[in-house]
Amino acid sequence: MIHPVMDPKLAPPFPQAALPVLRNTQLRKNVAHATDVITAKRARLVAEKSDWRALRDSASELRMHVLENLGTYLEQFEERCTAAGGVVHWAADAAEARQIILGILREERAKEVIKIKTMTSAEIQLNPFLATNGIQAHETDLAEIILQLGNDEPSHIVVPALHVNRSQVREIFARRMDLPELSDNPQELTAAARTYLRSKFLAVPSAISGANFLIAETGGVAVVESEGNGRMCLTLPRTMITLAGIEKVIPRYQDLEIMLQVLARSATGERMNPYTSLWTGVTKEDGPQNFHVVLLDNGRSEILRNERERQTLKCIRCAACMNACPVYRQTGGHAYGSVYPGPIGAILTPQLLKMEFAQSLPFASSLCGACYEVCPVKINIPESLIDLRARVTDQERQEERRFFDPLYVGMRMASKVFASAGRFRAAQRMARIGLKAFTGRDGWIRGLPGYGARWTMTRDLRGIPEQSFRDWWTARDNGKAKP
């Protein structure tokens, strides 16, 4: 089983999960520092592109074109990949994808497998599944190594260990690698990880990767990364298994010209990713001799059928929305209870789960619009959040138990009050009397009981004035308004 914190079916609602994080000042400091650095780098490199707006428009149009013609491009990818010596598998859900990968590894008699960082494998809970079947998965991305050795979970799509500082990394490496004299110098930490991985690269003959893009024209796969570990995984093993969501396909090799520019700037604030690996099929005596691609649906077709939800699948996993989000900045990724945190996770996770779980995530947003402004493929996340909130509310209305929920009853009463001017004025008079006991001499309310405490727990509330605007306006017309 995956860690409950990262399983939307087991994770607590966002407000409940976020509370302990808000009390962890060190974690919040780590997240704020990391997102500030990435955001500043991105802003500088976007500013130097005079055609950034046009580039963003092109990326958005390309991704939407793919989604509108997804079946055609996936079939073309399968045809070209197979012709080049690859084997394409189709997985309807997570369980089928896991079984396909396990079957391939068993044919190879694998006891270990090395992995390039891939969120899709976390989505299907691949590592714990392989472990229960006697196969140890070794992460090779530096951040993923930190999390794996520290028994932790990722909190960011691009920088999974963003919430961990170097002192904490030193402690993990010193304990798990038996290096008591290790310092927290970044060069020493990197060297320790490199030494730890070297034997894995040279000895383990099977590897698993994700894909940033699948190229229909060539049947090829593209992976971008910053450390070179991916290049080692792609070239040294005998068997390579690529797990990719069906939405990752792009039509032509030339389309990378657009996608790589917006991805690098948005994800890590670089003009180009340090390592961009492209491969197609099998080449005799050069690289892996067994190449498999597992195309994962796992709810994506359902999203594709809904025109309003479809834009979610445009995502290229750059995490720019997370870096810009004021809510993510305060809570980090674990509070979202999903391998896809932040604003994109708040719309993607409920949709992948067909609105059966993670209903609190669409409300984990201030709707400030910063995520839309930075998204390189122009996903209107605030619009999707509002739509999902409406769906959650509709679900709750249909549940009989909601009729006995004090919050639900209160909202129904408020609806009745706001529908009538007379009832609204009467409610104002009653509220003025009822709130006097909680209003200080300075006119502010700093503590309310019951559901009201959720508001005053983190902010003050102005007390109801002795004279409402409507009363003042009426008195003004009658010449009795107070100055």
Side-chain angles (χ1 to χ4, degrees), residues 81-116:
C81 182
T82 302
V87 180
V88 177
H89 309 263
W90 299 80
D93 54 26
E96 187 173 1
R98 292 193 296 261
Q99 289 297 332
I100 290 170
I101 294 172
L102 178 62
I104 296 169
L105 293 175
R106 280 181 170 168
E107 284 183 8
E108 296 295 316
R109 298 181 181 178
K111 296 298 182 184
E112 297 177 288
V113 62
I114 53 176
K115 289 181 66 213
I116 308 170

Side-chain angles (χ1 to χ4, degrees), residues 188-300:
E188 278 196 46
L189 295 174
T190 304
R194 185 179 296 117
T195 301
Y196 173 81
L197 286 175
R198 187 55 53 91
S199 62
K200 308 298 182 187
F201 286 136
L202 296 175
V204 179
S206 301
I208 295 173
S209 83
N212 291 97
F213 304 104
L214 304 172
I215 307 165
E217 180 183 54
T218 64
V221 178
V223 167
V224 299
E225 35 126 2
S226 300
E227 300 167 12
N229 60 289
R231 187 70 55 84
M232 299 283 278
C233 287
L234 298 173
T235 54
L236 293 179
R238 180 179 65 248
T239 298
M240 165 60 61
I241 304 169
T242 293
L243 173 67
I246 55 175
E247 79 280 11
K248 293 296 185 72
V249 68
I250 59 174
R252 304 170 301 164
Y253 180 84
Q254 186 178 348
D255 295 327
L256 290 172
E257 177 184 0
I258 297 171
M259 304 313 300
L260 291 180
Q261 287 191 74
V262 297
L263 176 59
R265 284 172 168 79
S266 299
T268 54
E270 298 171 293
R271 294 183 182 89
M272 186 174 181
N273 289 94
Y275 295 89
T276 300
S277 299
L278 301 164
W279 72 96
T280 304
V282 174
T283 302
K284 188 176 181 180
E285 297 181 357
D286 183 10
Q289 297 302 292
N290 303 302
F291 175 52
H292 299 263
V293 178
V294 181
L295 297 175
L296 178 69
D297 189 320
N298 204 34
R300 288 161 174 80

Side-chain angles (χ1 to χ4, degrees), residues 147-166:
L147 299 177
Q148 188 173 47
L149 295 182
N151 296 316
D152 201 353
E153 295 291 342
S155 65
H156 193 273
I157 291 176
V158 175
V159 193
L162 170 138
H163 59 289
V164 183
N165 62 31
R166 66 183 187 182

